[in-house]
Structures are given as structure tokens and as C-alpha cells.
Amino acid sequence: MGKGLKITVIGGGSSYTPELIEGFIKRTAELPVEELYLVDIERGKEKLNITTELTKRMIAKVGLNTKVYQTLDRREAIKDSDFIITQIRVGGLKARASDERIPLKYNAIGQETTGAGGFAKALRTIPVILDICRDIEELAPKAWLINFTNPASIITEMVLRHTQVKVVGLCNVPIGMINNVAKILDVDSKRIRIDFAGLNHMVYGREIYLDGERVTSEVLTKLGEGASLTMKNIKDLQWDKDLIRSLGMLPCPYHRYFYMTDEMLEEEKNAGEGTRAEQVMEIEKELFKRYEDPNLQEKPPELEKRGGAYYSDAAVSLISAIYNDKGEIHTVNIRNNGAISGLADDVVVEVNAVVNREGLKPIAVGKLPIKIHGLVHAVKAYELLTVQAGISGDYEDALMALISHPLVPSIKAAKGILHDILYENKGYLPQFSKL
Ligand code: G6P
């Protein structure tokens, strides 16, 4: 590196793009972005136009000379990129709504990452990300792929197993948890450090520190007494005091689906406002109306209604840590390599890692306590089986993955869910076309 950077955002027409641009603008002194390519597909052209124009206005406002390009030619964009960010949603929000609804018919959680809905999303996304990776291997083999596309754990796992691409899976949940804890303690988030370990959307805060002093039990007591710990896309149901006390660790907001399954299922079934996808469709309409305003030159506050708020902090600070060889600690999805003993070395985990230009080194946490070991292992098994099914397009592989999901109640439900997923997603599952 050394010269100005070429950064490519695949899924540039996403409503999250202004979030990302704000991240680059904040770190312009340390990150010389020379070219920024926003890529999308034909169907996303209109949204891409809008996000590109807003990006140009945001960049002009702060006087940067980053060149911004919009294109439907993914290969042109990928060629010689230094960093490639994937933030795509195959099938759009319509497919997400179907993912969220199908499992509900069978008394299973529909959630688009953690629930059986995430399984459908993984099957649709795997072939597309695989294709993108083939382009990266050919046209930008040295590039880092920063993957935000959900289900992030499964997608990162697939990239590491089936391609040569240098990938890091990223999520805003760890940053969200740090911000949440800071709020609970009423302190600046820079003073908080959390020892994270687990899987994406299944990560635990094993210890919490304020200015280096351990404050785990103080935070957990407050959480048990009703303090909030959630993301915008997850109903803020109160945590069970006894659960938190016996866990002795900070759960992540998504753990509600595992520890409070019946209440979350009721929530999903009775959501008067529609599934999260249906709510997001409304929020998006408003957002794009705002983005179109030629006077808008910054990220509008309405974007904070989205679950992925602040994701640019995670992405851009990570890119800067790699580029500037900072040796900083970031929470990322990478190969385990012994960080969590008891899990295979070659599986993807979400842990703290030291970030340098040469790569990322996970910080060893030893064995997971037995109270979380089983759940983490079960979800990892489901993820590995899902990668296999997403590649093979084999009915048996898919069924085995679904029935291994801890939130799928029975084989009857698994068969029903799989049948509906295959039917509803026909145009998006080329790997299953032989069925
Ligand atoms: C969370 C997750 C992301 C997810 C997002 C959904 O914060 O960490 O993985 O994509 O929420 O938010 P949305 O507003 O689309 O429901």
C-alpha cells in the first residue's frame, strides 16, 4: 500500500451507505481514500444513483478529493481494490420478509440471521458471495474483503473454506454492546473494554472493564434490574435476573432468541407492525426520500432507526488498523486458530484480535465455560452444515442443517420450513435447481 486507497463497496445502493461514508470522512486524516467505487446490480440502480449522489455531496462538503464512482460493472470495481466491503441483501427486503414469515408457520423463530430465516438467507447469499470471491481472486488477490453480509458468521465461514480470499467478518453488535454498557454505567464508551468470545450474533462478554478495572458484576446486576441491552431491530424484552446472575457473563441482544424463545416467538407472531423486514421497508422509504434531498450533505439521524447503526465505526476503524499497522484490538469473525480451545482451529469465531497490516491474530480465551459451550458448539455445527448445503445444493444436507438448528423444534417443522424456503426462493437458489 502507500499510495491512495481504492475501496469498493458491493451493495453500494444500500441505505447503510451514508453510514459508511461518514466513517471514512471521520478518519480521513489516517485513511487516504483515493477512489471509492459503489457497485450494485441492475435492480438496485435507482437506489445506487441516490446513494452515490449523496456520497458525492457528503465528500464535497468536507472538501475531500476522493473520486467517487458508481457502476454496475462489479469486475471493473473490484480490479486492484485494496479493500472490498460486501453489504448485499440477495432478494432484497421482500425475500427477507418471506424468510421471517415462513418459520413462524411451524412455530420456529424467523429472525433473518439467528432464526431459521437466516438459513434461507444463507442459501441465497452463498452462491453470490462465492461469485464475488472468484472475481476478487482473479482481479484483486491482495485485497481484504470486509464482509457485513448476513448471516455474517456463515458467509465468512464459507469464504474461508471455499476461496483464497483474505476475509474478515464484521458486525456492529460488539460495538453496540460496548455503547450499551457505557450507557448503563453512564460513562464514555472509550473507557469500556469487553472480552468477547463466541460466534456472530452469539457472542458473550466474558469480562467487562472500565478504565482497566473489572466491572462485570456491577453491569450484570444493573442488567438484571432492568437496564436495557438491545439493538434497534430486537424487541427490548427485559432480561431474566436469575439467568443473568447464573450466566455471569454479558449476553448479546440476539441471545434472547435462545434464552427467551417462547416470548420472542410470541413477539414475532403478534408483531402488529409486521415483521422487521416490513418495518424496514417503511423506514427505507423515508430514508431514500431524505437522501434524495439535494440539500442533504450528511448522514441523516433517521438512519439510527436501523439495527446496523454505527456499523461504519466497526468497518472503517478496522480498515484503518490494517492499513496503518496499528496493532489495535478489534472484535472480528476470523478463523479460530486455537483462540477458543475445544472448537476446531479452522472454524470461524467472533473474538477479540490484534490487527496488523499482515493480518489478524485472535486473542486466546481458553475453554468456554460448560454453561455456554453446548449452545456455541450446536450453533457452530448448524453453521458448518449450512455452508455445506449452500454449496452442494443437496436436499439431505439442507435438511440436516435445519434440523440441527437449536431453534427448529422438530423434523416435521424442518421439512415444512425447507419445503417453503425452496419454493419461495426458486429464482435465487441455482445450486438447488436439480431438485
Ligand atoms: C443488527 C445486526 C446486523 C443486522 C441489522 C439489521 O444490528 O448486527 O447484522 O443486519 O441489525 O437491522 P435492520 O434495521 O435491517 O433490521
Side-chain angles (χ1 to χ4, degrees):
M1 289 177 218
K3 62 170 177 55
L5 294 169
K6 175 174 178 181
I7 306 235
T8 290
V9 183
I10 302 186
S14 157
S15 49
Y16 281 116
T17 293
E19 169 74 41
L20 193 61
I21 305 307
E22 185 191 66
F24 284 120
I25 288 174
K26 268 200 219 158
R27 287 179 179 77
T28 165
E30 50 187 278
L31 211 56
V33 183
E34 194 175 312
E35 296 177 304
L36 181 64
Y37 275 76
L38 301 179
V39 189
D40 221 297
I41 54 171
E42 181 67 35
R43 227 178 99 184
K45 205 158 102 184
E46 214 178 301
K47 283 162 84 180
L48 180 64
N49 273 331
I50 298 172
T51 55
T52 307
E53 288 311 307
L54 174 56
T55 298
K56 287 182 178 164
R57 294 196 298 275
M58 288 173 75
I59 283 182
K61 186 187 172 196
V62 291
L64 284 181
N65 47 16
T66 302
K67 290 184 220 101
V68 180
Y69 302 95
Q70 75 175 86
T71 180
L72 304 186
D73 184 347
R74 185 173 85 200
R75 289 173 59 83
E76 175 208 359
I78 286 177
K79 192 169 173 6
D80 299 329
S81 289
D82 296 293
F83 291 92
I84 296 160
I85 298 166
T86 33
Q87 49 172 32
I88 59 172
R89 185 184 285 294
V90 180
L93 286 168
K94 208 165 153 242
R96 175 177 177 182
S98 140
D99 294 350
E100 290 167 338
R101 282 207 179 277
I102 290 172
L104 297 182
K105 275 168 63 186
Y106 303 93
N107 279 321
I109 295 285
Q111 211 282 329
E112 68 148 349
T113 57
T114 297
F119 177 72
K121 185 163 167 53
L123 296 189
R124 276 198 309 278
T125 309
I126 285 173
V128 179
I129 295 281
L130 196 56
D131 245 31
I132 292 173
C133 286
R134 295 295 174 238
D135 287 348
I136 299 175
E137 286 168 339
E138 181 193 333
L139 301 164
K142 291 191 186 142
W144 281 95
L145 170 62
I146 312 289
N147 178 64
F148 262 105
T149 298
N150 272 323
S153 194
I154 295 173
I155 298 304
T156 309
E157 190 80 64
M158 187 283 291
V159 174
L160 278 172
R161 274 167 200 277
H162 294 279
T163 82
Q164 302 298 320
V165 171
K166 293 194 290 183
V167 65
V168 187
L170 213 51
C171 181
N172 66 335
V173 163
I175 280 194
M177 287 167 74
I178 288 177
N179 289 341
N180 233 308
V181 166
K183 215 165 162 190
I184 291 175
L185 296 176
D186 197 17
V187 299
D188 191 290
S189 60
K190 289 196 187 72
R191 297 171 60 194
I192 303 292
R193 185 165 64 78
I194 301 182
D195 285 346
F196 287 106
L199 308 177
N200 181 236
H201 288 185
M202 182 169 259
V203 73
Y204 293 86
R206 300 193 350 136
E207 291 291 355
I208 305 168
Y209 302 90
L210 170 64
D211 299 330
E213 297 283 323
R214 202 181 296 185
V215 289
T216 317
S217 59
E218 186 184 337
V219 173
L220 296 184
T221 304
K222 292 196 171 172
L223 196 60
E225 285 167 355
S228 156
L229 175 80
T230 198
M231 316 287 287
K232 283 279 159 39
N233 56 317
I234 301 175
K235 181 89 179 181
D236 194 9
L237 294 184
Q238 203 186 313
W239 295 91
D240 185 281
K241 200 180 188 166
D242 298 329
L243 166 73
I244 299 299
R245 197 183 312 118
S246 18
L247 197 56
M249 283 175 263
L250 190 68
C252 84
Y254 284 83
H255 275 115
R256 285 189 179 85
Y257 293 103
F258 293 95
Y259 295 130
M260 303 160 74
T261 315
D262 48 0
E263 285 168 81
M264 294 306 276
L265 187 59
E266 276 313 296
E267 272 300 323
E268 286 193 346
K269 281 183 169 173
N270 299 326
E273 333 75 85
T275 70
R276 178 66 187 165
E278 286 151 4
Q279 297 167 34
V280 169
M281 284 177 199
E282 291 308 309
I283 302 174
E284 280 222 331
K285 264 189 222 151
E286 292 299 310
L287 280 176
F288 276 93
K289 223 187 279 162
R290 286 285 282 131
Y291 295 176
E292 273 182 303
D293 176 356
N295 297 317
L296 184 72
Q297 296 174 310
E298 58 200 7
K299 178 186 94 176
E302 288 90 335
L303 194 46
E304 283 169 24
K305 288 187 193 161
R306 298 295 302 280
Y310 305 113
Y311 104 89
S312 64
D313 272 341
V316 185
S317 64
L318 175 70
I319 291 176
S320 176
I322 296 175
Y323 175 74
N324 292 303
D325 204 16
K326 282 188 177 172
E328 273 178 359
I329 293 176
H330 287 251
T331 311
V332 285
N333 287 266
I334 51 172
R335 214 171 244 151
N336 183 28
N337 278 342
I340 300 179
S341 40
L343 274 173
D345 278 353
D346 65 348
V347 302
V348 168
V349 291
E350 189 165 280
V351 285
N352 290 352
V354 180
V355 181
N356 282 306
R357 189 170 293 181
E358 291 316 311
L360 293 88
K361 283 209 173 59
I363 298 175
V365 298
K367 268 193 172 159
L368 294 180
I370 194 75
K371 54 191 163 186
I372 61 170
H373 170 106
L375 190 51
V376 170
H377 279 246
V379 171
K380 181 43 74 182
Y382 150 75
E383 291 183 354
L384 292 170
L385 292 164
T386 302
V387 171
Q388 194 175 317
I391 295 282
S392 72
D394 196 273
Y395 179 84
E396 276 78 28
D397 287 350
L399 189 62
M400 207 52 228
L402 254 187
I403 190 57
S404 305
H405 193 307
L407 297 176
V408 172
S410 68
I411 186 66
K412 200 169 163 202
K415 281 183 160 172
I417 294 171
L418 183 54
H419 169 274
D420 293 3
I421 288 175
L422 295 175
Y423 180 79
E424 294 281 335
N425 289 281
K426 265 195 187 122
Y428 292 110
L429 302 178
Q431 72 275 51
F432 285 89
S433 60
K434 59 187 182 295
L435 291 186

